[in-house]
Each structure stands twice: as structure tokens, then as C-alpha cells.
Amino acid sequence: MSGRGPSGPSAGVARWSDRALALCALAGLIAAASVPRTWARATLSDRGSALLVVSRSGWQLRPAGPLVVAFGLLTALVCVLAHRRGRAALGALLALLGAAVTGLALSRLHAADPLVHTIGRLRIGTFQTDEPVAAGTAGAGLWVAAVAGIVVVLAAAGWLQLTRRAAAAAQASTAGGWAGSVGATQAGFAPVSGPASAEVSGVGPAAPGGIPGGNGAAERGVDHGL
């Protein structure tokens, strides 16, 4: 027997499965933590100098921001349940939550446009400049949430694949062990037939007119003595 039994690959798969779940939970928490940061920014500038900067966090961009927080925390909770139960349905739920986080974050890419429109309508004389320029950008927090959602989807898909591989390996190992035990049982209790069985058992063939199963020479000796 070699030292590399079926428990070795199964243990490796289980280890990588736990790492995938840990990465999934971490990405969900990062997505939730990125919501209080800046998600949209609008700047009114002139000749390279910023005259007015307006920013909005994920909390202020409702309902996308609060939903990302809820989905991120729910992702971490589902990862704990998946680690304990290992059901494939929980992996599908994790992938769905990650896709929802990514979709919500990317849906706010143009959240700065209303801010740009608002500060662009301000009077030019307020800032004592002739040609103010308004521009808007997406904040770093929004991109962090989007990337974290993608990581959740990939980690959930990897966990599903590893879980199925571990289940297949365990099933094959169980089937191989059952077949081996059945073969050993049949080999140990198979009846032995033929002349060898008679010699092993010590019982000879029945002689004509003698005692069934007795020794023919012994019977003849008894007859002559009588």
C-alpha cells in the first residue's frame, strides 16, 4: 500500500475550498466597508485650480449604497453557513450576491452627472472667473465595491467546483472500499470443492458396504478380525 491514499487529495481540495470561502467572505466585507467612502465626485475648476468640489458617498447614493452593505454582510454570513453545511445551493447564492454587488456599484458610474449639472448652473460671478469647467468622476469606493463583487463571484464559483470534486473523490473512495470489502468477504467464505476438500477435511470417500465417509482399509481390517 502506498502512502498516498484517497485522504491526501481530499484534504488538499478541502483546504483550497476553505480558502475560497475565506476569500469570498473577505471580499463581501470589503464591499460593505467601501460604501462610506466617496462614490461620486464633481469638481468646478478654472485653469487647473479647483473652485468647488462636491462628493457623495455610497450612503448618500440610495438605494445602491445600503444594498451593497446588506449584500456584503450577507455574503460573509452565507460563507460561514457554507463552510458548515457545504451545500451547492449556498454557493449559487454567493455568486448571485456577488453579481448583485457588482451590478449595484456599476449602476452608479454616472452618479456624478447630476452634481456636475448642479454646480454648472451656479453663477460665474460667484467664483470670480470667466470660464469655469465642471467635471465629474467616479470615486474609488465605487470601484472597490465593484471589484469586490467580482471576486465574490469568482470565489463562489471556485468553491462550487472544489466542493463537487471533493464529493466525487469521496464517492469514488467509498465505492472502492465497499468493493474491496465485498471481494475479501467472498474470498474468505467461498466453499472448497473437489478431492482437495476431502483431504483437508480428513474424511475419505465412502467405501462400498462400509461406513459412509470411513476409511476403506480400516474397514477391511475390522472385517478380517471378525
Side-chain angles (χ1 to χ4, degrees):
M1 293 288 291
S2 60
R4 297 180 59 185
S7 59
S10 299
V13 171
R15 189 181 303 112
W16 282 106
S17 177
D18 293 341
R19 291 177 180 177
L21 277 181
L23 179 61
C24 187
L26 180 61
L29 294 177
I30 290 176
S34 68
V35 172
R37 300 181 62 86
T38 300
W39 271 36
R41 180 185 293 106
T43 305
L44 184 67
S45 61
D46 184 26
R47 300 180 183 90
S49 60
L51 303 177
L52 177 64
V53 178
V54 180
S55 61
R56 295 289 183 270
S57 66
W59 283 116
Q60 297 170 300
L61 300 179
R62 300 176 183 273
L67 285 178
V68 168
V69 173
F71 290 162
L73 297 178
L74 184 60
T75 297
L77 178 61
V78 173
C79 287
V80 175
L81 295 177
H83 177 69
R84 294 182 177 180
R85 300 184 180 182
R87 295 182 179 179
L90 295 177
L93 179 59
L94 287 174
L96 182 62
L97 289 174
V101 169
T102 303
L104 288 172
L106 295 181
S107 67
R108 307 303 295 179
L109 285 178
H110 302 286
D113 293 346
L115 302 178
V116 173
H117 181 70
T118 300
I119 64 176
R121 292 171 54 188
L122 296 175
R123 290 184 303 173
I124 299 176
T126 304
F127 300 97
Q128 298 180 0
T129 181
D130 295 333
E131 297 180 356
V133 178
T137 56
L142 187 148
W143 291 109
V144 169
V147 172
I150 295 175
V151 172
V152 169
V153 174
L154 295 179
W159 178 79
L160 278 174
Q161 185 67 24
L162 291 171
T163 302
R164 292 174 181 175
R165 186 180 302 176
Q171 185 177 3
S173 175
T174 303
W178 180 81
S181 62
V182 170
T185 303
Q186 292 178 352
F189 291 94
V192 181
S193 60
S197 62
E199 294 178 0
V200 172
S201 60
V203 180
I211 302 174
N215 194 337
E219 291 177 3
R220 287 193 296 273
V222 173
D223 293 340
H224 290 303
L226 293 176

